[in-house]
Structures are given as C-alpha cells and as structure tokens.
Amino acid sequence: AAGVIQSPRHLIKEKRETATLKCYPIPRHDTVYWYQQGPGQDPQFLISFYEKMQSDKGSIPDRFSAQQFSDYHSELNMSSLELGDSALYFCASSSTDQSFKAFFGQGTRLTVV
Amino acid sequence: GEDVEQSLFLSVREGDSSVINCTYTDSSSTYLYWYKQEPGAGLQLLTYIFSNMDMKQDQRLTVLLNKKDKHLSLRIADTQTGDSAIYFCAEWEETGANNLFFGTGTRLTVIP
C-alpha cells in the first residue's frame, strides 16, 4: 500500500541557509500535518493543512512557512536556519472520513551545521 | 493544555509480555493511539482506541483504557527482539485542535 513519502530523507544545511522539505500524502488523503522531533524528544506539532488551506498552527517559528498544493502535496520552507532547527521532520496525512487516523512518513532528518 | 506522560524505559526478556503505560490529562480526548518508532525511522501507527472503549485487542497487542483515571496501556504478548523500539502514546480530540499530542515515548528493550 502507498505510504506518505517525504523528501529528501537527509539534508545538511549551514546556518542562515534555507531548506525546503516535501511531503506527498497517501492518495486520496486531503489533510497533511507537519511535526518536528528534536533529538530524544517527542514529536511536536507544527502546522496542518486541509484541502490546501491551513487548518491549524502549532509551535511553528515565524521563519518557517508551509503550504499545500493542488495535488495535495505539501512543502515546509525553513529560512534563516539555526543550529536548533536540527531535527527529524515528519509529515503525516489523513482522509476526511477517517481524520482521526494519521499515517506518518519516514521523516526528513535536517542537520544544520 | 494537553499533557501526555510515559515512563522513559522498559526492559523485558524475549517471550515475556511487555506493558507500556501512558497517562493523559485532557478528558476530552476522543482517540488514543500507540505509535512505534524504530531507530531513525518514521512513526508507525500500531493501534488506536476510541474513548468510549475499554479494551481493544489486535493479535499480540492489547490496549486497555481507564478513562476515569486517564490511563492507557499497551500490552505486547510474547515480546520479540523486533519489538525493540520507542513507543509513543498520543491523543487526539475530535472537537479541538486537529492534531496529535504525543507522550514522551517509552524505549522498549527486548533482551534475548
């Protein structure tokens, strides 16, 4: 079965650079969530989109932005990267009829040096 | 706000049962979940339980929910070395913020 696809799997950036993370949800899923998981920490919710509109916002820094496109894929844009942004970034998706059931991608490991 | 707590570590011998516990504070949680995370990997949905249920069984997994005490547990029968991972409890409130709140995670180590 198709799963949530995230790219890239690994990314190394320098401080103050910009990074773009991509997420391709499970087919027919219309909701996408982004989570950040720091080393040894639990995942923290950043932002979510439903039908290409932002539906909820968590602890997402102002330096980050995200959007969902017409094909339902989503991108998380991170600017002015800081060392503390180094983390595993997860995308999850769900469908309207089972919105309580989120499936996660494998994550993108971002390392800021 | 939501607060989901778990003990950090659990070690069991292969073949024994594992019980991972979770407590939460949000009484309006609608669904409660168990996710498994293997090293460097994504979060795999293991099972979930609706808040009006007390128990759910799925093969080797048994979820028990005590809504009065806001306590959730995951029992893994006949634990195998492949079960070694971090297990996250998470809760989701249908009428609230449409996202999951995760516990701190329990690292399960299975000793051969």
Side-chain angles (χ1 to χ4, degrees):
Chain A
V4 177
I5 307 294
Q6 290 186 247
S7 69
R9 291 293 310 278
H10 302 273
L11 189 59
I12 300 174
K13 290 285 185 178
E14 295 188 353
K15 281 195 305 184
R16 292 179 288 278
E17 283 193 317
T18 297
T20 298
L21 278 52
K22 296 186 179 183
C23 169
Y24 297 87
I26 292 172
R28 291 179 295 282
H29 279 196
D30 47 22
T31 305
V32 166
Y33 314 81
W34 285 97
Y35 285 80
Q36 177 192 56
Q37 185 179 24
Q41 297 180 3
D42 54 286
Q44 296 292 318
F45 172 70
L46 292 178
I47 195 166
S48 61
F49 292 87
Y50 167 68
E51 282 291 342
K52 292 149 277 183
M53 300 284 288
Q54 182 183 307
S55 60
D56 195 16
K57 200 170 181 181
S59 51
I60 184 169
D62 291 340
R63 299 177 288 108
F64 293 7
S65 65
Q67 60 183 123
Q68 187 178 31
F69 295 85
S70 57
D71 63 352
Y72 295 100
H73 95 272
S74 178
E75 294 183 5
L76 177 67
N77 297 294
M78 310 157 71
S79 62
S80 302
L81 287 168
E82 301 173 357
L83 295 177
D85 296 328
S86 296
L88 201 51
Y89 289 83
F90 286 111
C91 171
S93 73
S94 66
S95 62
T96 306
D97 59 346
Q98 288 202 314
S99 56
F100 60 89
K101 209 167 167 184
F103 293 90
F104 283 76
Q106 291 297 298
T108 294
R109 183 170 294 283
L110 172 68
T111 304
V112 181
V113 297
Chain B
E2 296 80 357
D3 193 15
V4 185
E5 298 283 340
Q6 298 177 239
S7 51
L8 292 180
F9 302 99
L10 176 65
S11 291
V12 298
R13 293 207 172 273
E14 191 174 15
D16 287 351
S17 291
S18 309
V19 179
I20 304 171
N21 294 302
C22 168
T23 57
Y24 59 98
T25 58
D26 191 351
S27 58
S28 52
S29 298
T30 310
Y31 288 92
L32 294 132
Y33 307 79
W34 286 103
Y35 280 87
K36 176 183 180 183
Q37 186 177 32
E38 295 181 76
L43 291 154
Q44 175 194 353
L45 176 62
L46 283 180
T47 186
Y48 63 91
I49 188 167
F50 190 48
S51 59
N52 68 353
M53 297 168 65
D54 297 324
M55 187 184 89
K56 182 178 180 181
Q57 185 147 7
D58 185 1
Q59 298 182 336
R60 293 191 298 123
L61 305 178
T62 303
V63 179
L64 293 177
L65 175 61
N66 181 328
K67 200 173 179 183
K68 174 176 162 290
D69 294 339
K70 300 193 185 78
H71 182 265
L72 181 76
S73 68
L74 173 70
R75 179 177 179 270
I76 305 173
D78 186 25
T79 313
Q80 303 297 306
T81 54
D83 295 324
S84 292
I86 300 176
Y87 290 80
F88 287 96
C89 164
E91 57 107 12
W92 187 84
E93 181 192 338
E94 188 168 20
T95 56
N98 190 22
N99 61 80
L100 291 163
F101 286 92
F102 287 87
T104 47
T106 299
R107 182 180 294 277
L108 172 66
T109 302
V110 182
I111 304 163

XYZ file of all heavy atoms in Angstrom, chain A residues 9-92:
693
model
N 15.352 12.499 2.383
C 15.408 11.766 3.644
C 16.414 12.409 4.594
O 16.232 12.379 5.808
C 15.787 10.311 3.407
C 14.717 9.490 2.703
C 13.457 9.312 3.576
N 13.762 8.846 4.918
C 13.976 7.584 5.257
N 13.913 6.645 4.330
N 14.223 7.265 6.506
N 17.463 12.945 4.031
C 18.506 13.599 4.825
C 18.883 14.906 4.144
O 18.914 14.986 2.913
C 19.755 12.714 4.938
C 19.489 11.373 5.538
N 19.504 11.155 6.894
C 19.178 10.200 4.972
C 19.218 9.882 7.126
N 19.012 9.276 5.976
N 19.179 15.910 4.972
C 19.524 17.226 4.437
C 20.490 17.880 5.400
O 20.249 17.904 6.605
C 18.249 18.057 4.300
C 18.297 19.384 3.574
C 18.784 19.197 2.146
C 16.918 20.039 3.568
N 21.569 18.385 4.844
C 22.540 19.117 5.656
C 22.606 20.535 5.112
O 22.810 20.744 3.920
C 23.941 18.458 5.620
C 23.861 17.029 6.152
C 24.942 19.276 6.431
C 25.167 16.259 6.028
N 22.425 21.489 5.999
C 22.453 22.904 5.617
C 23.331 23.661 6.607
O 23.515 23.245 7.756
C 21.035 23.485 5.650
C 20.122 22.979 4.550
C 20.464 23.621 3.231
C 19.488 23.223 2.137
N 19.797 23.891 0.857
N 23.806 24.821 6.140
C 24.555 25.681 7.038
C 23.615 26.691 7.683
O 22.508 26.951 7.188
C 25.674 26.392 6.267
C 26.723 25.417 5.750
C 27.929 26.123 5.166
O 27.911 27.360 5.043
O 28.895 25.420 4.809
N 24.093 27.246 8.788
C 23.307 28.289 9.475
C 22.970 29.396 8.495
O 23.765 29.750 7.628
C 24.112 28.867 10.646
C 24.111 28.010 11.877
C 24.599 28.762 13.113
C 25.963 29.363 12.897
N 26.476 30.010 14.126
N 21.801 29.924 8.664
C 21.269 31.050 7.870
C 20.853 30.639 6.455
O 20.342 31.485 5.718
C 22.269 32.213 7.812
C 22.451 32.902 9.176
C 23.461 34.039 9.103
N 24.820 33.542 8.956
C 25.564 33.125 9.959
N 25.099 33.106 11.187
N 26.802 32.709 9.741
N 21.034 29.381 6.108
C 20.564 28.930 4.795
C 19.065 28.630 4.851
O 18.423 28.735 5.898
C 21.323 27.673 4.351
C 22.726 27.969 3.833
C 23.317 26.765 3.115
O 23.174 25.631 3.615
O 23.948 26.973 2.048
N 18.540 28.253 3.680
C 17.124 27.926 3.546
C 16.971 26.453 3.177
O 17.805 25.906 2.447
C 16.489 28.805 2.446
O 16.578 30.168 2.847
C 15.035 28.446 2.219
N 15.933 25.828 3.667
C 15.660 24.420 3.340
C 14.195 24.270 2.961
O 13.327 24.970 3.488
C 15.985 23.524 4.530
N 13.945 23.357 2.042
C 12.568 23.029 1.659
C 12.375 21.530 1.777
O 13.099 20.748 1.170
C 12.266 23.468 0.212
O 12.401 24.892 0.120
C 10.847 23.075 -0.175
N 11.378 21.147 2.570
C 11.041 19.740 2.773
C 9.726 19.457 2.064
O 8.804 20.284 2.100
C 10.897 19.437 4.264
C 12.153 19.178 5.088
C 13.187 20.259 4.944
C 11.778 18.983 6.547
N 9.672 18.299 1.425
C 8.472 17.961 0.672
C 7.779 16.739 1.255
O 8.412 15.837 1.803
C 8.829 17.694 -0.796
C 9.388 18.917 -1.494
C 9.597 18.685 -2.961
C 10.146 19.965 -3.618
N 10.309 19.818 -5.067
N 6.466 16.737 1.092
C 5.650 15.643 1.616
C 4.574 15.288 0.598
O 3.846 16.169 0.121
C 5.001 16.073 2.926
S 3.730 14.945 3.525
N 4.490 14.016 0.288
C 3.458 13.518 -0.637
C 2.547 12.592 0.162
O 2.960 11.512 0.576
C 4.104 12.806 -1.817
C 4.968 13.732 -2.644
C 6.294 13.946 -2.309
C 4.436 14.427 -3.731
C 7.088 14.827 -3.038
C 5.218 15.305 -4.471
C 6.538 15.502 -4.113
O 7.323 16.382 -4.838
N 1.311 13.019 0.398
C 0.422 12.214 1.258
C -0.040 10.940 0.561
O 0.156 10.762 -0.641
C -0.759 13.157 1.500
C -0.768 14.076 0.324
C 0.668 14.244 -0.083
N -0.657 10.088 1.342
C -1.266 8.883 0.792
C -2.360 9.317 -0.186
O -3.096 10.274 0.099
C -1.854 8.016 1.929
C -0.699 7.450 2.765
C -2.752 6.917 1.410
C -1.149 6.748 4.030
N -2.474 8.650 -1.338
C -3.521 9.029 -2.295
C -4.905 9.111 -1.663
O -5.268 8.277 -0.831
C -3.452 7.899 -3.333
C -2.030 7.459 -3.292
C -1.620 7.563 -1.842
N -5.620 10.151 -2.012
C -6.973 10.451 -1.523
C -6.992 10.993 -0.089
O -8.061 11.209 0.468
C -7.917 9.246 -1.653
C -8.249 8.930 -3.110
C -9.171 7.713 -3.228
N -8.546 6.491 -2.780
C -7.669 5.786 -3.473
N -7.314 6.192 -4.682
N -7.156 4.670 -2.986
N -5.838 11.190 0.496
C -5.786 11.896 1.780
C -5.736 13.388 1.490
O -4.967 13.855 0.647
C -4.544 11.487 2.582
C -4.719 10.193 3.306
N -3.889 9.790 4.322
C -5.648 9.221 3.171
C -4.296 8.631 4.785
N -5.358 8.249 4.091
N -6.573 14.148 2.231
C -6.675 15.577 1.941
C -6.087 16.456 3.055
O -6.080 17.673 2.942
C -8.151 15.962 1.719
C -9.059 15.396 2.806
O -8.565 15.089 3.907
O -10.270 15.244 2.542
N -5.614 15.838 4.107
C -5.070 16.592 5.233
C -3.619 16.202 5.455
O -3.280 15.011 5.439
C -5.884 16.324 6.515
O -7.259 16.605 6.260
C -5.400 17.204 7.658
N -2.805 17.206 5.640
C -1.368 16.985 5.861
C -0.960 17.692 7.149
O -1.419 18.800 7.430
C -0.556 17.535 4.669
C 0.911 17.618 5.029
C -0.724 16.645 3.446
N -0.134 17.033 7.920
C 0.379 17.580 9.184
C 1.902 17.569 9.129
O 2.510 16.658 8.576
C -0.049 16.717 10.369
C -1.496 16.291 10.391
C -1.946 15.207 9.640
C -2.425 16.949 11.193
C -3.261 14.805 9.664
C -3.750 16.545 11.231
C -4.156 15.476 10.470
O -5.468 15.077 10.504
N 2.498 18.552 9.767
C 3.954 18.581 9.919
C 4.299 18.557 11.403
O 3.717 19.289 12.203
C 4.557 19.840 9.299
C 4.605 19.834 7.806
C 3.703 20.397 6.949
C 5.611 19.224 6.982
N 4.084 20.173 5.649
C 5.260 19.470 5.635
C 6.783 18.513 7.250
C 6.032 19.020 4.563
C 7.547 18.072 6.189
C 7.168 18.318 4.860
N 5.275 17.692 11.740
C 5.755 17.580 13.107
C 7.275 17.705 13.107
O 7.952 17.303 12.162
C 5.394 16.222 13.713
C 3.938 16.078 14.091
C 2.972 15.777 13.130
C 3.526 16.236 15.408
C 1.646 15.655 13.470
C 2.196 16.110 15.766
C 1.271 15.818 14.791
O -0.049 15.699 15.136
N 7.782 18.229 14.213
C 9.233 18.344 14.407
C 9.617 17.496 15.620
O 8.994 17.616 16.682
C 9.607 19.809 14.665
C 11.080 20.042 14.941
C 11.330 21.457 15.469
O 10.744 21.857 16.478
N 12.174 22.217 14.790
N 10.622 16.647 15.457
C 11.073 15.829 16.575
C 12.550 16.074 16.815
O 13.406 15.662 16.033
C 10.830 14.345 16.306
C 11.162 13.452 17.494
C 10.895 11.985 17.222
O 10.885 11.541 16.082
N 10.682 11.212 18.268
N 12.849 16.797 17.901
C 14.234 17.037 18.271
C 14.858 15.784 18.843
O 14.155 14.834 19.203
N 16.180 15.758 18.964
C 16.880 14.569 19.473
C 16.352 14.159 20.848
O 16.335 14.966 21.780
C 18.338 15.035 19.550
C 18.438 16.182 18.607
C 17.103 16.850 18.627
N 15.925 12.912 20.953
C 15.438 12.385 22.226
C 14.133 12.974 22.708
O 13.771 12.814 23.876
N 13.415 13.650 21.824
C 12.163 14.291 22.232
C 10.964 13.681 21.522
O 11.110 12.917 20.573
C 12.235 15.790 21.931
C 13.331 16.496 22.718
C 13.373 17.978 22.386
O 12.566 18.487 21.624
N 14.325 18.666 22.963
N 9.789 14.009 22.003
C 8.587 13.545 21.316
C 8.261 14.511 20.182
O 8.674 15.666 20.186
C 7.419 13.425 22.290
C 7.152 14.697 23.062
O 7.940 15.001 23.974
O 6.156 15.381 22.743
N 7.533 14.039 19.189
C 7.164 14.907 18.063
C 6.289 16.065 18.503
O 5.368 15.892 19.295
C 6.399 13.957 17.132
C 6.794 12.582 17.560
C 7.039 12.667 19.033
N 6.588 17.232 17.983
C 5.814 18.431 18.281
C 5.118 18.908 17.014
O 5.740 19.032 15.957
C 6.738 19.541 18.804
C 7.417 19.214 20.126
C 6.446 19.155 21.278
O 5.543 19.987 21.402
N 6.615 18.160 22.130
N 3.843 19.225 17.157
C 3.054 19.652 16.011
C 3.462 21.041 15.542
O 3.610 21.965 16.354
C 1.572 19.645 16.407
C 0.657 20.237 15.385
C 0.421 19.598 14.187
C 0.032 21.456 15.618
C -0.427 20.146 13.235
C -0.818 22.012 14.679
C -1.046 21.363 13.489
N 3.624 21.176 14.239
C 3.983 22.474 13.666
C 2.784 23.143 12.997
O 2.417 24.268 13.335
C 5.099 22.302 12.628
C 6.476 21.882 13.138
C 7.448 21.714 11.976
C 7.015 22.880 14.147
N 2.197 22.451 12.020
C 1.151 23.066 11.213
C 0.414 21.976 10.441
O 0.965 20.898 10.216
C 1.773 24.113 10.251
C 0.709 25.039 9.655
C 2.612 23.434 9.163
C 1.290 26.274 8.976
N -0.821 22.270 10.057
C -1.583 21.304 9.256
C -2.378 22.021 8.180
O -2.671 23.221 8.294
C -2.521 20.479 10.134
O -3.464 21.310 10.780
N -2.710 21.265 7.150
C -3.470 21.794 6.026
C -4.589 20.828 5.683
O -4.404 19.613 5.703
C -2.574 21.978 4.795
C -1.566 23.059 4.962
C -0.344 22.790 5.547
C -1.851 24.357 4.562
C 0.590 23.801 5.725
C -0.911 25.370 4.737
C 0.305 25.084 5.318
N -5.742 21.409 5.328
C -6.868 20.621 4.851
C -7.360 21.256 3.573
O -7.648 22.457 3.545
C -7.981 20.568 5.905
C -9.286 20.035 5.389
C -9.401 18.698 5.025
C -10.393 20.863 5.238
C -10.590 18.203 4.526
C -11.582 20.376 4.744
C -11.681 19.044 4.386
O -12.859 18.555 3.894
N -7.431 20.476 2.537
C -7.904 20.981 1.245
C -7.186 22.278 0.857
O -7.807 23.269 0.483
C -9.418 21.188 1.262
C -10.218 19.916 1.123
C -10.085 19.294 -0.268
O -9.664 19.988 -1.223
O -10.381 18.086 -0.408
N -5.875 22.240 0.989
C -4.980 23.308 0.558
C -5.053 24.583 1.408
O -4.402 25.581 1.096
C -5.220 23.668 -0.919
C -4.810 22.556 -1.860
C -5.653 22.512 -3.105
C -6.945 21.764 -2.843
N -7.782 21.627 -4.065
N -5.820 24.539 2.485
C -5.897 25.692 3.383
C -5.288 25.303 4.726
O -5.479 24.179 5.206
C -7.357 26.109 3.595
C -8.077 26.492 2.325
S -7.598 28.111 1.762
C -8.416 29.124 2.983
N -4.620 26.249 5.353
C -4.080 25.986 6.680
C -5.220 25.729 7.648
O -6.162 26.520 7.728
C -3.264 27.187 7.148
C -2.623 26.992 8.510
C -1.886 28.237 8.961
O -1.048 28.779 8.243
N -2.202 28.695 10.154
N -5.148 24.625 8.373
C -6.249 24.297 9.271
C -5.891 24.480 10.732
O -6.757 24.738 11.558
C -6.733 22.864 9.037
O -5.691 21.943 9.263
N -4.623 24.366 11.067
C -4.226 24.517 12.453
C -2.739 24.867 12.509
O -1.983 24.511 11.616
C -4.505 23.225 13.235
C -4.464 23.432 14.735
O -4.522 24.594 15.179
O -4.376 22.430 15.460
N -2.377 25.570 13.535
C -0.998 26.006 13.676
C -0.513 25.693 15.078
O -1.206 25.995 16.054
C -0.922 27.509 13.417
C 0.441 28.031 13.055
C 0.331 29.480 12.583
C 1.675 30.023 12.200
N 1.609 31.427 11.754
N 0.662 25.095 15.161
C 1.234 24.773 16.461
C 2.440 25.640 16.729
O 2.433 26.836 16.495
N 3.505 25.009 17.184
C 4.706 25.751 17.576
C 5.647 25.967 16.399
O 6.834 25.648 16.469
C 5.404 25.001 18.709
O 5.590 23.643 18.364
N 5.134 26.507 15.338
C 5.964 26.726 14.147
C 6.591 28.113 14.217
O 5.891 29.112 14.415
C 5.130 26.536 12.851
C 6.027 26.668 11.612
C 3.928 27.467 12.800
C 5.351 26.226 10.321
N 7.930 28.191 14.096
C 8.584 29.509 14.152
C 8.164 30.371 12.959
O 7.789 29.859 11.903
C 10.074 29.163 14.067
C 10.181 27.708 14.343
C 8.888 27.096 13.942
N 8.251 31.665 13.127
C 7.906 32.593 12.046
C 8.833 32.427 10.848
O 8.470 32.795 9.725
C 7.985 34.035 12.548
C 6.884 34.335 13.548
O 5.881 33.591 13.558
O 7.023 35.296 14.319
N 10.010 31.865 11.062
C 10.970 31.659 9.964
C 10.541 30.505 9.056
O 11.106 30.318 7.981
C 12.360 31.329 10.532
C 12.959 32.411 11.412
C 14.291 31.970 11.973
N 14.144 30.948 13.011
C 14.472 29.677 12.850
N 14.976 29.239 11.701
N 14.331 28.795 13.844
N 9.560 29.747 9.507
C 9.091 28.605 8.727
C 7.750 28.974 8.088
O 6.931 29.687 8.674
C 8.864 27.385 9.617
C 10.107 26.796 10.231
C 11.340 27.397 10.117
C 10.011 25.607 10.946
C 12.467 26.840 10.712
C 11.129 25.038 11.528
C 12.353 25.660 11.423
N 7.540 28.438 6.917
C 6.231 28.563 6.288
C 5.930 27.254 5.575
O 6.839 26.462 5.306
C 6.195 29.731 5.303
O 7.081 29.477 4.224
N 4.685 27.038 5.284
C 4.310 25.798 4.613
C 3.094 26.058 3.757
O 2.368 27.048 3.946
C 4.031 24.688 5.626
N 2.895 25.182 2.803
C 1.683 25.253 2.007
C 1.345 23.880 1.464
O 2.202 22.993 1.413
C 1.829 26.273 0.870
C 2.936 25.985 -0.112
C 3.052 27.088 -1.171
O 4.094 27.685 -1.338
N 1.994 27.324 -1.899
N 0.087 23.745 1.058
C -0.378 22.518 0.417
C -0.818 22.884 -0.993
O -1.556 23.858 -1.187
C -1.532 21.897 1.195
C -1.948 20.533 0.663
C -3.066 19.899 1.466
O -3.907 20.586 2.022
N -3.089 18.584 1.513
N -0.377 22.094 -1.937
C -0.620 22.406 -3.340
C -1.863 21.673 -3.868
O -2.465 20.867 -3.165
C 0.623 22.034 -4.163
C 1.822 22.869 -3.810
C 2.655 22.535 -2.751
C 2.114 24.015 -4.535
C 3.756 23.320 -2.417
C 3.212 24.797 -4.213
C 4.027 24.451 -3.152
N -2.201 21.985 -5.129
C -3.433 21.440 -5.703
C -3.406 19.916 -5.787
O -4.455 19.271 -5.791
C -3.696 22.042 -7.087
O -2.590 21.805 -7.935
N -2.218 19.323 -5.856
C -2.139 17.857 -5.890
C -2.025 17.277 -4.481
O -1.728 16.099 -4.309
C -0.954 17.393 -6.750
C 0.393 17.845 -6.179
O 0.398 18.642 -5.218
O 1.428 17.397 -6.694
N -2.224 18.113 -3.476
C -2.237 17.765 -2.055
C -0.858 17.550 -1.451
O -0.767 17.339 -0.236
C -3.140 16.555 -1.747
C -4.581 16.850 -2.016
C -5.191 16.413 -3.196
C -5.344 17.593 -1.124
C -6.518 16.715 -3.470
C -6.670 17.896 -1.384
C -7.248 17.456 -2.559
O -8.559 17.757 -2.833
N 0.189 17.638 -2.262
C 1.494 17.544 -1.623
C 1.764 18.844 -0.863
O 1.150 19.889 -1.136
C 2.589 17.197 -2.629
C 3.341 18.368 -3.199
N 2.926 19.050 -4.321
C 4.487 18.954 -2.793
C 3.795 20.007 -4.586
N 4.748 19.973 -3.674
N 2.655 18.761 0.092
C 2.930 19.925 0.933
C 4.436 20.168 0.995
O 5.234 19.241 0.823
C 2.376 19.681 2.339
O 2.678 20.777 3.203
N 4.772 21.414 1.202
C 6.178 21.782 1.361
C 6.340 22.635 2.609
O 5.509 23.520 2.868
C 6.688 22.527 0.123
C 6.733 21.656 -1.117
C 7.309 22.348 -2.342
O 7.778 23.492 -2.223
O 7.288 21.714 -3.417
N 7.385 22.344 3.339
C 7.741 23.120 4.533
C 9.009 23.893 4.191
O 10.030 23.293 3.874
C 7.974 22.186 5.729
C 8.423 22.829 7.043
C 7.314 23.713 7.612
C 8.800 21.756 8.057
N 8.898 25.205 4.200
C 10.032 26.068 3.879
C 10.601 26.646 5.160
O 9.868 27.196 5.981
C 9.580 27.204 2.953
C 9.088 26.665 1.628
O 9.851 26.102 0.857
N 7.803 26.806 1.366
N 11.902 26.506 5.303
C 12.566 26.923 6.528
C 13.689 27.883 6.143
O 14.580 27.511 5.388
C 13.121 25.700 7.249
C 12.059 24.603 7.400
S 12.737 22.959 7.631
C 13.364 23.123 9.265
N 13.611 29.097 6.657
C 14.630 30.086 6.302
C 15.445 30.476 7.539
O 15.070 30.172 8.675
C 13.960 31.324 5.701
O 13.105 31.914 6.641
N 16.570 31.143 7.268
C 17.473 31.586 8.347
C 17.698 30.468 9.348
O 17.509 30.627 10.563
C 16.880 32.811 9.057
O 16.653 33.859 8.152
N 18.099 29.335 8.847
C 18.243 28.147 9.683
C 19.181 28.381 10.855
O 20.202 29.060 10.747
C 18.734 26.966 8.844
C 17.693 26.366 7.900
C 18.352 25.419 6.914
C 16.586 25.681 8.676
N 18.796 27.792 11.974
C 19.590 27.858 13.197
C 20.000 26.445 13.593
O 19.367 25.462 13.180
C 18.762 28.493 14.315
C 18.269 29.892 13.997
C 17.306 30.427 15.049
O 16.981 29.679 15.995
O 16.883 31.584 14.906
N 21.034 26.359 14.420
C 21.504 25.039 14.855
C 20.373 24.252 15.519
O 20.248 23.039 15.359
C 22.689 25.184 15.818
C 23.964 25.785 15.243
C 25.028 25.929 16.335
C 24.502 24.946 14.096
N 19.540 24.955 16.246
C 18.438 24.318 16.975
C 17.344 23.770 16.080
O 16.436 23.085 16.555
N 17.413 24.069 14.795
C 16.421 23.517 13.860
C 16.772 22.086 13.458
O 15.968 21.423 12.794
C 16.337 24.387 12.597
C 15.838 25.792 12.885
O 15.017 25.946 13.829
O 16.266 26.731 12.192
N 17.948 21.634 13.829
C 18.345 20.251 13.529
C 17.377 19.302 14.213
O 17.230 19.320 15.440
C 19.776 19.982 14.025
O 20.705 20.788 13.328
N 16.720 18.495 13.429
C 15.678 17.616 13.966
C 15.204 16.689 12.861
O 15.598 16.814 11.706
C 14.497 18.438 14.495
N 14.315 15.795 13.269
C 13.612 14.941 12.313
C 12.262 15.603 12.063
O 11.550 15.950 13.006
C 13.430 13.564 12.952
C 13.178 12.335 12.109
C 14.191 12.196 10.994
C 13.201 11.098 12.983
N 11.941 15.817 10.805
C 10.682 16.469 10.458
C 9.771 15.432 9.820
O 10.094 14.837 8.795
C 10.919 17.645 9.514
C 11.596 18.799 10.227
C 12.976 18.811 10.399
C 10.850 19.831 10.775
C 13.596 19.841 11.091
C 11.459 20.867 11.467
C 12.836 20.864 11.625
O 13.443 21.875 12.318
N 8.630 15.242 10.450
C 7.671 14.260 9.965
C 6.489 14.938 9.317
O 6.006 15.971 9.782
C 7.132 13.409 11.115
C 8.100 12.407 11.643
C 8.642 12.558 12.900
C 8.460 11.311 10.888
C 9.539 11.633 13.392
C 9.359 10.377 11.372
C 9.903 10.544 12.626
N 6.039 14.301 8.268
C 4.787 14.667 7.662
C 3.821 13.505 7.904
O 4.231 12.335 7.924
C 5.008 14.883 6.163
S 3.524 15.090 5.212
N 2.573 13.818 8.124
C 1.547 12.794 8.262
C 0.354 13.196 7.412
O 0.178 14.385 7.099
C 1.128 12.640 9.720
